[in-house]
Amino acid sequence: QVNAVPKKLPYVPSEEEIRQYYNTVWKSKNMQDVMIIKTLLYTGIRVSELIRLKIKDVDLDGCQLKIISGKGQKDRIVPFPKSFRETLALHITKALQNKSSCLFESSWAKPYSDRGIRKILEKYSKMAGMVENISPHKLRHFLFTWLKKKGIDDALIQPYSGHETRQSLEIYSRLLLAK
């Protein structure tokens, strides 16, 4: 018999920490950074998916993003809140004026790298005085734990999250119980 060592649960920021973090981002007045962080927070997409998002993958009428070749080379549709649509539309208009095809491009008119996005988030973690660095995956954990807290069924969260099975979502229930 093998004694399984229980996996350590990942850190999930509290709603207050997310509020503090977002307020710091907002006060920076860097709208590109605000949009990047809102997109991660509202959709739960992975950083690798964010940096590959094209403007054509955004359906403003349907309030959804088409993720092409996400983890495991799977495509999926990810919804975003209707309240985010207008802000996203303004961002897209500006991006199109700059002749961008990617939803997010750096100041060098190139798509961001994974590391570039992580550095942006890290910068705001320091500015906000966060005890734990806010990473793209922590925003993802926060969203899915928050959805579970609001009573959203795993059957709805699973396709949204890109997880292979509902069992993969068990961690969010465990995170919720640990709080």
Side-chain angles (χ1 to χ4, degrees):
Q1 177 161 347
V2 178
N3 289 335
V5 178
K7 276 188 175 178
K8 184 177 177 250
L9 290 174
Y11 170 78
V12 178
S14 67
E15 286 186 46
E16 183 52 43
E17 287 172 307
I18 291 293
R19 200 171 294 114
Q20 176 185 339
Y21 180 78
Y22 180 75
N23 283 339
T24 301
V25 177
W26 176 253
K27 286 176 186 169
S28 77
K29 306 241 187 307
N30 183 325
M31 291 316 288
Q32 170 97 333
D33 291 355
V34 168
M35 291 304 299
I36 287 169
I37 289 160
K38 275 189 167 195
T39 302
L40 289 167
L41 188 56
Y42 288 165
T43 65
I45 62 174
R46 297 172 177 96
V47 70
S48 60
E49 298 165 339
L50 177 90
I51 62 177
R52 288 194 318 266
L53 262 182
K54 305 278 186 228
I55 292 170
K56 67 180 173 58
D57 299 331
V58 180
D59 173 3
L60 291 169
D61 293 329
C63 293
Q64 55 192 23
L65 305 175
K66 184 172 185 182
I67 303 299
I68 309 290
S69 296
K71 190 173 181 180
Q73 298 305 303
K74 291 187 176 73
D75 296 352
R76 72 181 193 283
I77 301 296
V78 176
F80 57 81
K82 211 172 197 172
S83 59
F84 184 48
R85 181 171 46 186
E86 286 180 22
T87 313
L88 191 54
L90 291 171
H91 173 78
I92 288 171
T93 300
K94 186 174 181 192
L96 290 171
Q97 289 169 348
N98 293 335
K99 310 273 189 266
S100 299
S101 63
C102 291
L103 187 58
F104 298 107
E105 289 187 350
S106 70
S107 52
W108 296 291
K110 298 238 185 287
Y112 277 99
S113 66
D114 180 299
R115 184 73 194 118
I117 297 293
R118 290 176 191 284
K119 282 180 102 164
I120 290 168
L121 272 68
E122 191 177 315
K123 171 179 75 174
Y124 291 112
S125 293
K126 287 180 182 160
M127 288 170 65
M130 306 303 290
V131 175
E132 287 266 348
N133 185 35
I134 300 293
S135 67
H137 221 73
K138 284 181 185 145
L139 292 176
R140 183 173 162 81
H141 286 316
F142 172 81
L143 174 66
F144 297 135
T145 304
W146 183 82
L147 289 171
K148 292 284 291 181
K149 183 177 171 185
K150 296 293 180 194
I152 306 297
D153 191 77
D154 285 353
L156 295 172
I157 298 172
Q158 184 201 338
Y160 184 19
S161 70
H163 283 291
E164 188 77 28
T165 65
R166 287 190 208 164
Q167 277 181 310
S168 304
L169 298 173
E170 186 183 304
I171 189 169
Y172 301 112
S173 296
R174 289 180 34 224
L175 285 167
L176 190 56
L177 291 171
K179 285 207 167 237

